[in-house]
Amino acid sequence: MNKLLVKTRKTRAKLAPPPVPDPKLEALVREIIERVADKWTMLVLEVLEEHGVVRFTRLGELVGGVSQKMLTKTVRQMERDGLVTRTVHPVIPPRVEYELTELGHSLGEAFCGVWIWAERHGEEIARARKAFEDSRRHSQLSHGA
């Protein structure tokens, strides 16, 4: 088991220890993290939270840097998981719009903590990264690499 999960379990145990770990719940949490903690899902979530109902083309523009194929894959998965609703308007060409569901909004609220954490610790992270790079650069110079 990886160290992050062990640490998370220890932290969770301090909050409310489960009598017996539920393997189904653990599998669901892993799947959710794998699926929603990716770059594109988080960006789509953010855009829909800020803009409400958004057409597919506009969604791609607001997310920025995403291919149509990746955006399609992302919103389909989000729809499958109940995070967004997809509405197709029967016009030529078809107009497709996406909107967060209540479940999607609640996920946005859950990830809001990550934004708050990043804001609170951004300078520490920047200092740690700089120290790491400086250390590597110094090590490489010392070893003639």
Coordinates of all heavy atoms in Angstrom, one line a residue, residues 54-145:
V54 N -22.9 25.8 -20.3 CA -21.9 26.2 -21.2 C -22.0 25.2 -22.4 O -22.1 24.0 -22.3 CB -20.5 26.1 -20.6 CG1 -19.5 26.5 -21.7 CG2 -20.4 27.0 -19.4
R55 N -22.0 25.8 -23.6 CA -22.0 25.0 -24.9 C -20.6 24.3 -25.0 O -19.6 24.8 -24.5 CB -22.2 25.9 -26.1 CG -23.6 26.5 -26.1 CD -23.8 27.4 -27.3 NE -23.8 26.7 -28.5 CZ -24.2 27.1 -29.7 NH1 -24.6 28.4 -29.8 NH2 -24.2 26.4 -30.8
F56 N -20.6 23.2 -25.7 CA -19.4 22.4 -25.8 C -18.3 23.2 -26.4 O -17.2 23.2 -25.8 CB -19.7 21.2 -26.7 CG -18.5 20.3 -26.9 CD1 -18.2 19.4 -25.9 CD2 -17.7 20.4 -28.0 CE1 -17.1 18.5 -26.1 CE2 -16.6 19.6 -28.1 CZ -16.3 18.7 -27.2
T57 N -18.5 23.9 -27.4 CA -17.4 24.7 -28.1 C -16.8 25.8 -27.1 O -15.6 25.9 -26.9 CB -17.9 25.4 -29.4 OG1 -18.4 24.4 -30.2 CG2 -16.8 26.1 -30.1
R58 N -17.7 26.4 -26.4 CA -17.3 27.5 -25.5 C -16.6 26.8 -24.3 O -15.6 27.4 -23.8 CB -18.6 28.3 -25.0 CG -18.2 29.4 -24.0 CD -17.5 30.5 -24.7 NE -17.2 31.6 -23.8 CZ -16.1 32.3 -23.7 NH1 -15.1 32.0 -24.6 NH2 -16.0 33.2 -22.8
L59 N -17.1 25.7 -23.9 CA -16.4 24.9 -22.8 C -14.9 24.7 -23.1 O -14.0 24.9 -22.3 CB -17.1 23.6 -22.5 CG -16.6 22.8 -21.3 CD1 -16.7 23.5 -20.0 CD2 -17.5 21.5 -21.2
G60 N -14.7 24.2 -24.3 CA -13.3 24.0 -24.8 C -12.5 25.3 -24.8 O -11.3 25.3 -24.4
E61 N -13.1 26.4 -25.2 CA -12.4 27.7 -25.2 C -12.0 28.1 -23.8 O -10.9 28.6 -23.5 CB -13.2 28.7 -25.9 CG -13.5 28.5 -27.3 CD -14.5 29.5 -27.9 OE1 -15.1 30.3 -27.1 OE2 -14.8 29.4 -29.1
L62 N -13.0 27.9 -22.9 CA -12.8 28.4 -21.5 C -11.8 27.5 -20.7 O -11.0 28.0 -19.9 CB -14.1 28.4 -20.7 CG -15.1 29.5 -21.2 CD1 -16.5 29.3 -20.6 CD2 -14.6 30.9 -20.9
V63 N -11.8 26.2 -21.0 CA -10.8 25.3 -20.4 C -9.5 25.6 -21.0 O -8.5 25.7 -20.2 CB -11.2 23.8 -20.7 CG1 -10.1 22.9 -20.3 CG2 -12.5 23.5 -19.9
G64 N -9.4 25.8 -22.3 CA -8.1 26.2 -22.9 C -7.1 25.0 -23.0 O -6.9 24.3 -22.0
G65 N -6.5 24.8 -24.2 CA -5.5 23.8 -24.4 C -5.9 22.4 -24.4 O -5.1 21.5 -24.5
V66 N -7.2 22.1 -24.4 CA -7.7 20.8 -24.5 C -8.2 20.4 -25.9 O -8.8 21.3 -26.5 CB -8.9 20.6 -23.4 CG1 -10.1 21.4 -23.8 CG2 -9.3 19.1 -23.3
S67 N -7.8 19.2 -26.3 CA -8.3 18.8 -27.7 C -9.8 18.5 -27.6 O -10.3 18.2 -26.5 CB -7.5 17.6 -28.1 OG -7.9 16.4 -27.4
Q68 N -10.4 18.5 -28.7 CA -11.9 18.2 -28.8 C -12.1 16.7 -28.3 O -13.0 16.4 -27.6 CB -12.4 18.4 -30.2 CG -13.9 18.1 -30.3 CD -14.5 18.5 -31.6 OE1 -13.9 19.2 -32.4 NE2 -15.7 18.0 -31.9
K69 N -11.2 15.8 -28.7 CA -11.3 14.4 -28.3 C -11.2 14.3 -26.8 O -12.0 13.5 -26.2 CB -10.1 13.6 -29.0 CG -10.2 12.2 -28.7 CD -9.0 11.4 -29.4 CE -9.0 10.0 -29.1 NZ -8.0 9.2 -29.8
M70 N -10.2 15.0 -26.2 CA -10.0 14.9 -24.7 C -11.2 15.5 -24.0 O -11.7 15.0 -23.0 CB -8.7 15.5 -24.3 CG -8.4 15.4 -22.8 SD -8.5 13.7 -22.1 CE -7.1 13.0 -22.8
L71 N -11.7 16.6 -24.5 CA -12.8 17.3 -23.9 C -14.1 16.4 -24.0 O -14.8 16.2 -23.0 CB -13.1 18.6 -24.5 CG -14.3 19.4 -23.9 CD1 -14.0 19.7 -22.5 CD2 -14.5 20.7 -24.7
T72 N -14.3 15.7 -25.1 CA -15.4 14.8 -25.3 C -15.3 13.7 -24.3 O -16.2 13.3 -23.6 CB -15.5 14.3 -26.7 OG1 -15.7 15.4 -27.6 CG2 -16.6 13.3 -26.9
K73 N -14.1 13.1 -24.2 CA -13.9 12.0 -23.3 C -14.1 12.4 -21.8 O -14.8 11.7 -21.1 CB -12.4 11.5 -23.4 CG -12.1 10.4 -22.5 CD -10.6 9.9 -22.6 CE -10.3 8.9 -21.6 NZ -8.8 8.6 -21.6
T74 N -13.7 13.6 -21.5 CA -13.8 14.1 -20.1 C -15.3 14.3 -19.7 O -15.7 13.9 -18.7 CB -13.0 15.4 -19.9 OG1 -11.6 15.1 -20.2 CG2 -13.1 15.9 -18.5
V75 N -16.0 15.0 -20.6 CA -17.4 15.3 -20.3 C -18.3 14.1 -20.3 O -19.2 14.0 -19.5 CB -18.0 16.5 -21.1 CG1 -17.3 17.8 -20.8 CG2 -18.0 16.2 -22.6
R76 N -17.9 13.1 -21.2 CA -18.7 11.9 -21.2 C -18.5 11.1 -19.9 O -19.5 10.6 -19.3 CB -18.3 11.0 -22.4 CG -18.9 11.3 -23.6 CD -18.6 10.3 -24.7 NE -19.2 10.7 -26.0 CZ -18.7 10.5 -27.1 NH1 -17.6 9.7 -27.2 NH2 -19.2 10.9 -28.2
Q77 N -17.3 11.1 -19.4 CA -17.0 10.4 -18.1 C -17.7 11.1 -17.0 O -18.2 10.5 -16.1 CB -15.5 10.3 -17.9 CG -15.1 9.4 -16.7 CD -15.6 8.0 -17.0 OE1 -15.2 7.3 -18.0 NE2 -16.5 7.4 -16.1
M78 N -17.7 12.4 -17.0 CA -18.3 13.2 -16.0 C -19.8 13.0 -16.0 O -20.5 12.9 -15.0 CB -18.0 14.7 -16.1 CG -16.5 15.0 -15.8 SD -16.1 16.8 -16.1 CE -16.9 17.5 -14.7
E79 N -20.4 12.9 -17.2 CA -21.8 12.6 -17.4 C -22.1 11.2 -16.8 O -23.1 11.0 -16.1 CB -22.2 12.7 -18.8 CG -23.7 12.5 -19.1 CD -24.1 12.6 -20.5 OE1 -23.2 12.6 -21.4 OE2 -25.3 12.6 -20.8
R80 N -21.3 10.2 -17.2 CA -21.5 8.9 -16.7 C -21.5 8.8 -15.2 O -22.2 8.1 -14.6 CB -20.4 8.0 -17.2 CG -20.4 6.5 -16.7 CD -19.3 5.7 -17.3 NE -19.3 4.4 -16.8 CZ -18.6 3.9 -15.8 NH1 -17.8 4.7 -15.1 NH2 -18.7 2.7 -15.4
D81 N -20.6 9.6 -14.5 CA -20.5 9.6 -13.1 C -21.5 10.5 -12.4 O -21.6 10.6 -11.2 CB -19.1 10.1 -12.7 CG -18.0 9.1 -13.0 OD1 -18.4 7.9 -13.1 OD2 -16.8 9.4 -13.1
G82 N -22.4 11.1 -13.2 CA -23.4 12.0 -12.7 C -23.0 13.4 -12.2 O -23.7 14.0 -11.5
L83 N -21.9 13.8 -12.8 CA -21.4 15.1 -12.4 C -21.9 16.2 -13.3 O -22.0 17.4 -12.8 CB -19.8 15.1 -12.4 CG -19.2 14.1 -11.5 CD1 -17.7 14.1 -11.8 CD2 -19.5 14.3 -10.1
V84 N -22.2 15.9 -14.5 CA -22.8 16.9 -15.4 C -24.0 16.4 -16.2 O -24.2 15.2 -16.3 CB -21.8 17.4 -16.5 CG1 -20.5 18.0 -15.9 CG2 -21.4 16.3 -17.4
T85 N -24.8 17.3 -16.6 CA -25.9 16.9 -17.5 C -25.6 17.4 -18.9 O -25.0 18.5 -19.0 CB -27.3 17.5 -17.0 OG1 -27.2 18.9 -16.9 CG2 -27.7 16.8 -15.7
R86 N -26.0 16.7 -19.9 CA -25.7 17.0 -21.3 C -27.0 17.2 -21.9 O -27.9 16.4 -21.9 CB -24.9 15.9 -21.9 CG -24.6 16.1 -23.4 CD -23.8 14.9 -23.9 NE -23.5 15.0 -25.3 CZ -24.2 14.4 -26.3 NH1 -25.2 13.6 -26.0 NH2 -23.8 14.6 -27.5
T87 N -27.2 18.4 -22.5 CA -28.5 18.7 -23.2 C -28.2 18.9 -24.7 O -27.4 19.8 -25.0 CB -29.2 19.9 -22.6 OG1 -29.4 19.7 -21.2 CG2 -30.5 20.2 -23.3
V88 N -28.8 18.2 -25.6 CA -28.7 18.3 -27.0 C -29.9 19.0 -27.5 O -31.0 18.5 -27.4 CB -28.5 17.0 -27.7 CG1 -28.3 17.2 -29.2 CG2 -27.3 16.3 -27.1
H89 N -29.8 20.2 -28.1 CA -30.9 20.9 -28.7 C -31.0 20.5 -30.2 O -30.0 20.5 -30.9 CB -30.7 22.4 -28.6 CG -30.6 22.8 -27.1 ND1 -31.7 23.1 -26.4 CD2 -29.5 23.0 -26.3 CE1 -31.3 23.5 -25.2 NE2 -30.0 23.4 -25.1
P90 N -32.2 20.1 -30.6 CA -32.4 19.6 -32.0 C -32.4 20.7 -33.0 O -33.5 21.0 -33.6 CB -33.8 18.9 -31.9 CG -34.5 19.6 -30.8 CD -33.4 20.1 -29.8
V91 N -31.3 21.3 -33.3 CA -31.1 22.3 -34.3 C -30.0 21.8 -35.2 O -29.3 20.9 -34.9 CB -30.9 23.7 -33.7 CG1 -32.1 24.2 -32.9 CG2 -29.6 23.7 -32.8
I92 N -29.9 22.5 -36.3 CA -28.8 22.1 -37.3 C -27.8 23.3 -37.2 O -28.2 24.4 -37.6 CB -29.3 21.9 -38.7 CG1 -30.4 20.9 -38.8 CG2 -28.1 21.6 -39.6 CD1 -30.0 19.4 -38.6
P93 N -26.5 23.1 -36.9 CA -26.0 21.9 -36.3 C -26.5 21.8 -34.9 O -26.9 22.8 -34.2 CB -24.5 22.2 -36.4 CG -24.3 23.7 -36.3 CD -25.6 24.2 -37.0
P94 N -26.4 20.6 -34.3 CA -26.9 20.4 -32.9 C -26.1 21.3 -32.0 O -24.9 21.5 -32.1 CB -26.6 18.9 -32.7 CG -26.3 18.3 -34.0 CD -25.9 19.4 -34.9
R95 N -26.9 21.8 -31.0 CA -26.3 22.6 -30.0 C -26.2 21.8 -28.7 O -27.3 21.3 -28.2 CB -27.1 23.9 -29.7 CG -26.4 24.9 -28.8 CD -27.2 26.2 -28.7 NE -28.1 26.0 -27.6 CZ -29.4 26.4 -27.7 NH1 -29.9 26.9 -28.8 NH2 -30.2 26.2 -26.7
V96 N -25.0 21.5 -28.2 CA -24.9 20.7 -27.0 C -24.4 21.6 -25.8 O -23.4 22.3 -26.0 CB -23.8 19.6 -27.3 CG1 -23.7 18.7 -26.1 CG2 -24.3 18.7 -28.5
E97 N -25.1 21.5 -24.7 CA -24.7 22.2 -23.5 C -24.5 21.3 -22.3 O -25.1 20.3 -22.2 CB -25.9 23.2 -23.2 CG -26.1 24.2 -24.2 CD -27.3 25.1 -23.9 OE1 -28.3 24.6 -23.3 OE2 -27.3 26.3 -24.3
Y98 N -23.6 21.8 -21.5 CA -23.3 21.0 -20.3 C -23.5 21.9 -19.0 O -23.3 23.1 -19.1 CB -21.8 20.6 -20.3 CG -21.6 19.6 -21.4 CD1 -21.2 19.9 -22.6 CD2 -21.7 18.2 -21.1 CE1 -21.0 19.0 -23.6 CE2 -21.6 17.3 -22.1 CZ -21.2 17.6 -23.3 OH -21.0 16.7 -24.3
E99 N -23.9 21.2 -18.0 CA -24.2 21.9 -16.7 C -23.9 21.0 -15.6 O -24.1 19.8 -15.7 CB -25.7 22.3 -16.7 CG -26.1 23.1 -15.4 CD -27.5 23.5 -15.4 OE1 -28.3 23.0 -16.3 OE2 -27.9 24.4 -14.6
L100 N -23.3 21.5 -14.5 CA -23.1 20.7 -13.3 C -24.4 20.2 -12.7 O -25.3 21.0 -12.6 CB -22.2 21.4 -12.3 CG -20.8 21.7 -12.6 CD1 -20.1 22.5 -11.4 CD2 -20.0 20.4 -12.8
T101 N -24.4 19.0 -12.2 CA -25.5 18.5 -11.4 C -25.2 18.9 -9.9 O -24.1 19.4 -9.6 CB -25.6 17.0 -11.5 OG1 -24.3 16.4 -10.9 CG2 -25.8 16.5 -12.9
E102 N -26.1 18.6 -9.1 CA -25.9 18.8 -7.6 C -24.6 18.0 -7.2 O -23.8 18.5 -6.4 CB -27.1 18.5 -6.8 CG -28.2 19.5 -6.9 CD -27.8 20.9 -6.5 OE1 -27.2 21.1 -5.5 OE2 -28.1 21.8 -7.3
L103 N -24.5 16.8 -7.7 CA -23.3 16.0 -7.4 C -22.1 16.7 -7.8 O -21.1 16.7 -7.1 CB -23.5 14.6 -8.0 CG -22.5 13.5 -7.6 CD1 -22.6 13.3 -6.1 CD2 -22.8 12.3 -8.4
G104 N -22.1 17.2 -9.0 CA -20.9 18.0 -9.6 C -20.6 19.2 -8.7 O -19.4 19.4 -8.4
H105 N -21.6 19.9 -8.3 CA -21.4 21.1 -7.4 C -20.8 20.6 -6.1 O -19.8 21.3 -5.6 CB -22.7 21.8 -7.1 CG -23.2 22.7 -8.3 ND1 -22.5 23.8 -8.7 CD2 -24.3 22.5 -9.1 CE1 -23.2 24.3 -9.7 NE2 -24.2 23.6 -10.0
S106 N -21.2 19.5 -5.6 CA -20.7 19.1 -4.3 C -19.2 18.6 -4.4 O -18.4 18.8 -3.5 CB -21.6 17.9 -3.7 OG -21.5 16.7 -4.5
L107 N -18.9 18.1 -5.6 CA -17.5 17.7 -5.8 C -16.7 19.0 -5.9 O -15.5 19.0 -5.4 CB -17.3 16.9 -7.1 CG -15.9 16.5 -7.5 CD1 -15.3 15.6 -6.4 CD2 -15.9 15.8 -8.8
G108 N -17.2 20.0 -6.5 CA -16.5 21.3 -6.6 C -16.2 21.8 -5.2 O -15.2 22.3 -4.9
E109 N -17.2 21.7 -4.3 CA -17.1 22.2 -3.0 C -16.0 21.3 -2.3 O -15.2 21.9 -1.5 CB -18.4 22.0 -2.2 CG -19.5 23.0 -2.7 CD -20.8 22.6 -2.1 OE1 -20.9 21.8 -1.2 OE2 -21.8 23.2 -2.6
A110 N -16.0 20.0 -2.5 CA -14.9 19.2 -1.9 C -13.5 19.6 -2.3 O -12.6 19.6 -1.5 CB -15.2 17.7 -2.2
F111 N -13.4 19.9 -3.6 CA -12.1 20.2 -4.1 C -11.7 21.7 -3.8 O -10.5 22.1 -4.0 CB -12.0 20.0 -5.6 CG -11.6 18.5 -5.9 CD1 -12.6 17.6 -6.3 CD2 -10.3 18.1 -5.7 CE1 -12.3 16.3 -6.5 CE2 -10.0 16.7 -5.9 CZ -11.0 15.9 -6.3
C112 N -12.7 22.4 -3.3 CA -12.4 23.8 -2.9 C -11.3 23.8 -1.8 O -10.5 24.7 -1.8 CB -13.7 24.5 -2.4 SG -13.4 26.2 -2.0
G113 N -11.3 22.8 -1.0 CA -10.3 22.7 0.1 C -8.9 22.6 -0.5 O -7.9 23.1 0.1
V114 N -8.8 22.0 -1.7 CA -7.4 21.9 -2.3 C -7.0 23.3 -2.7 O -5.8 23.6 -2.6 CB -7.5 20.9 -3.5 CG1 -6.1 20.9 -4.2 CG2 -7.8 19.5 -3.0
W115 N -7.9 24.1 -3.3 CA -7.6 25.4 -3.7 C -7.1 26.3 -2.5 O -6.2 27.0 -2.5 CB -8.8 26.1 -4.4 CG -9.1 25.6 -5.7 CD1 -10.0 24.6 -6.0 CD2 -8.5 25.9 -6.9 NE1 -10.0 24.3 -7.3 CE2 -9.1 25.1 -7.9 CE3 -7.5 26.9 -7.3 CZ2 -8.7 25.2 -9.3 CZ3 -7.2 27.0 -8.7 CH2 -7.8 26.2 -9.6
I116 N -7.9 26.1 -1.4 CA -7.6 26.9 -0.2 C -6.2 26.4 0.4 O -5.4 27.3 0.7 CB -8.7 26.6 0.9 CG1 -10.0 27.3 0.4 CG2 -8.2 27.2 2.3 CD1 -11.2 26.9 1.2
W117 N -6.0 25.1 0.4 CA -4.7 24.6 0.8 C -3.5 25.1 -0.1 O -2.5 25.6 0.4 CB -4.7 23.1 0.8 CG -3.4 22.5 1.2 CD1 -3.1 22.1 2.5 CD2 -2.3 22.1 0.4 NE1 -1.8 21.6 2.5 CE2 -1.3 21.6 1.3 CE3 -2.0 22.2 -0.9 CZ2 0.0 21.2 0.8 CZ3 -0.8 21.8 -1.4 CH2 0.2 21.3 -0.5
A118 N -3.7 25.1 -1.4 CA -2.7 25.6 -2.3 C -2.4 27.1 -2.1 O -1.3 27.5 -2.1 CB -3.1 25.3 -3.8
E119 N -3.5 27.8 -1.9 CA -3.3 29.3 -1.6 C -2.5 29.5 -0.3 O -1.6 30.3 -0.3 CB -4.7 30.0 -1.6 CG -4.6 31.4 -1.4 CD -6.0 32.1 -1.4 OE1 -6.9 31.5 -0.7 OE2 -6.2 33.1 -2.0
R120 N -2.9 28.7 0.7 CA -2.2 28.9 2.0 C -0.8 28.5 1.9 O 0.1 29.0 2.6 CB -3.0 28.0 3.0 CG -2.5 28.2 4.4 CD -3.3 27.4 5.4 NE -4.7 27.9 5.4 CZ -5.8 27.1 5.5 NH1 -5.6 25.8 5.8 NH2 -7.0 27.5 5.5
H121 N -0.4 27.4 1.2 CA 0.9 26.9 1.2 C 1.7 27.1 -0.1 O 2.8 26.5 -0.3 CB 0.8 25.4 1.5 CG 0.2 25.1 2.8 ND1 0.9 25.3 4.0 CD2 -1.0 24.6 3.1 CE1 0.1 24.9 5.0 NE2 -1.1 24.5 4.5
G122 N 1.2 27.9 -1.0 CA 1.9 28.2 -2.3 C 3.3 28.6 -2.1 O 4.2 28.2 -2.8
E123 N 3.5 29.6 -1.2 CA 4.9 30.1 -1.0 C 5.8 29.0 -0.5 O 7.0 28.9 -0.9 CB 4.9 31.3 -0.1 CG 4.3 32.5 -0.8 CD 4.3 33.7 0.1 OE1 5.0 33.8 1.1 OE2 3.5 34.7 -0.2
E124 N 5.3 28.2 0.4 CA 6.1 27.1 1.0 C 6.5 26.1 -0.1 O 7.7 25.6 -0.2 CB 5.4 26.3 2.0 CG 5.2 27.0 3.3 CD 4.3 26.2 4.3 OE1 4.8 25.2 4.8 OE2 3.2 26.6 4.5
I125 N 5.6 25.8 -1.0 CA 5.9 24.9 -2.1 C 6.9 25.5 -3.0 O 7.9 24.8 -3.4 CB 4.6 24.5 -2.9 CG1 3.6 23.7 -2.0 CG2 4.9 23.8 -4.2 CD1 2.2 23.6 -2.5
A126 N 6.8 26.8 -3.3 CA 7.7 27.4 -4.2 C 9.1 27.4 -3.6 O 10.1 27.1 -4.3 CB 7.3 28.9 -4.5
R127 N 9.2 27.7 -2.3 CA 10.5 27.6 -1.6 C 11.1 26.2 -1.6 O 12.3 26.0 -1.9 CB 10.4 28.1 -0.2 CG 10.3 29.6 0.0 CD 10.5 30.1 1.4 NE 9.5 29.5 2.3 CZ 8.3 30.0 2.6 NH1 7.9 31.1 2.1 NH2 7.6 29.4 3.5
A128 N 10.3 25.2 -1.4 CA 10.7 23.8 -1.4 C 11.2 23.4 -2.8 O 12.3 22.8 -2.9 CB 9.6 22.9 -0.9
R129 N 10.5 23.8 -3.8 CA 10.9 23.5 -5.2 C 12.2 24.2 -5.5 O 13.1 23.6 -6.1 CB 9.8 23.9 -6.2 CG 8.6 23.0 -6.1 CD 7.5 23.5 -7.0 NE 6.4 22.6 -7.1 CZ 5.3 22.8 -7.7 NH1 5.1 24.0 -8.4 NH2 4.3 22.0 -7.7
K130 N 12.4 25.4 -5.1 CA 13.6 26.1 -5.4 C 14.8 25.5 -4.6 O 15.9 25.2 -5.2 CB 13.5 27.6 -5.0 CG 14.8 28.4 -5.3 CD 14.7 29.9 -5.0 CE 15.9 30.7 -5.3 NZ 17.1 30.1 -5.2
A131 N 14.6 25.1 -3.4 CA 15.6 24.5 -2.6 C 16.0 23.1 -3.2 O 17.2 22.8 -3.3 CB 15.2 24.3 -1.1
F132 N 15.0 22.4 -3.7 CA 15.3 21.1 -4.3 C 16.1 21.3 -5.6 O 17.1 20.6 -5.8 CB 13.9 20.4 -4.7 CG 14.1 19.1 -5.4 CD1 14.4 17.9 -4.7 CD2 14.0 19.0 -6.8 CE1 14.5 16.7 -5.3 CE2 14.1 17.8 -7.4 CZ 14.4 16.7 -6.7
E133 N 15.7 22.2 -6.4 CA 16.4 22.5 -7.7 C 17.9 23.0 -7.4 O 18.8 22.6 -8.0 CB 15.7 23.5 -8.6 CG 14.4 22.9 -9.2 CD 14.6 21.6 -10.0 OE1 15.6 21.6 -10.7 OE2 13.8 20.7 -9.9
D134 N 18.0 23.9 -6.4 CA 19.3 24.4 -6.0 C 20.2 23.2 -5.6 O 21.4 23.1 -5.9 CB 19.2 25.4 -4.9 CG 18.6 26.7 -5.5 OD1 18.5 26.9 -6.7 OD2 18.2 27.6 -4.6
S135 N 19.6 22.4 -4.8 CA 20.4 21.2 -4.2 C 20.8 20.3 -5.4 O 21.9 19.8 -5.4 CB 19.5 20.4 -3.2 OG 20.1 19.2 -2.9
R136 N 19.9 20.0 -6.3 CA 20.3 19.2 -7.4 C 21.3 19.8 -8.3 O 22.3 19.1 -8.7 CB 19.0 18.9 -8.3 CG 18.0 18.0 -7.6 CD 17.1 17.4 -8.6 NE 17.8 16.8 -9.7 CZ 17.2 16.2 -10.7 NH1 16.0 16.1 -10.8 NH2 17.9 15.7 -11.7
R137 N 21.2 21.1 -8.5 CA 22.2 21.8 -9.3 C 23.6 21.7 -8.6 O 24.6 21.4 -9.2 CB 21.7 23.2 -9.5 CG 22.2 23.9 -10.8 CD 21.7 25.3 -11.1 NE 20.7 25.8 -10.2 CZ 19.3 25.7 -10.4 NH1 18.9 25.1 -11.4 NH2 18.5 26.3 -9.5
H138 N 23.6 22.0 -7.3 CA 24.8 21.9 -6.5 C 25.4 20.5 -6.6 O 26.6 20.3 -6.7 CB 24.6 22.4 -5.1 CG 25.8 22.2 -4.2 ND1 26.8 23.1 -4.3 CD2 26.1 21.3 -3.3 CE1 27.7 22.8 -3.4 NE2 27.3 21.7 -2.8
S139 N 24.6 19.5 -6.4 CA 25.0 18.1 -6.4 C 25.6 17.8 -7.8 O 26.6 17.1 -7.9 CB 23.8 17.2 -6.1 OG 24.2 15.8 -6.2
Q140 N 25.0 18.2 -8.9 CA 25.5 17.9 -10.2 C 26.8 18.6 -10.4 O 27.7 18.0 -11.1 CB 24.5 18.3 -11.3 CG 23.3 17.5 -11.3 CD 22.2 18.0 -12.2 OE1 22.2 19.1 -12.7 NE2 21.2 17.1 -12.5
L141 N 27.0 19.8 -9.9 CA 28.3 20.5 -10.1 C 29.4 19.9 -9.3 O 30.5 19.8 -9.7 CB 28.1 22.0 -9.7 CG 27.2 22.9 -10.6 CD1 27.1 24.3 -9.9 CD2 27.9 23.0 -12.0
S142 N 29.0 19.4 -8.1 CA 30.0 18.7 -7.2 C 30.5 17.4 -7.8 O 31.6 17.0 -7.6 CB 29.4 18.4 -5.9 OG 29.0 19.6 -5.2
H143 N 29.6 16.7 -8.5 CA 29.9 15.4 -9.1 C 30.4 15.5 -10.5 O 30.5 14.5 -11.2 CB 28.8 14.4 -8.9 CG 28.5 14.1 -7.5 ND1 27.5 14.8 -6.8 CD2 29.1 13.2 -6.6 CE1 27.5 14.3 -5.6 NE2 28.4 13.4 -5.4
G144 N 30.5 16.7 -11.1 CA 31.0 16.9 -12.4 C 30.0 16.4 -13.5 O 30.4 16.0 -14.6
A145 N 28.7 16.3 -13.2 CA 27.7 15.8 -14.1 C 27.3 17.0 -15.0 O 27.3 18.1 -14.8 CB 26.6 15.2 -13.4

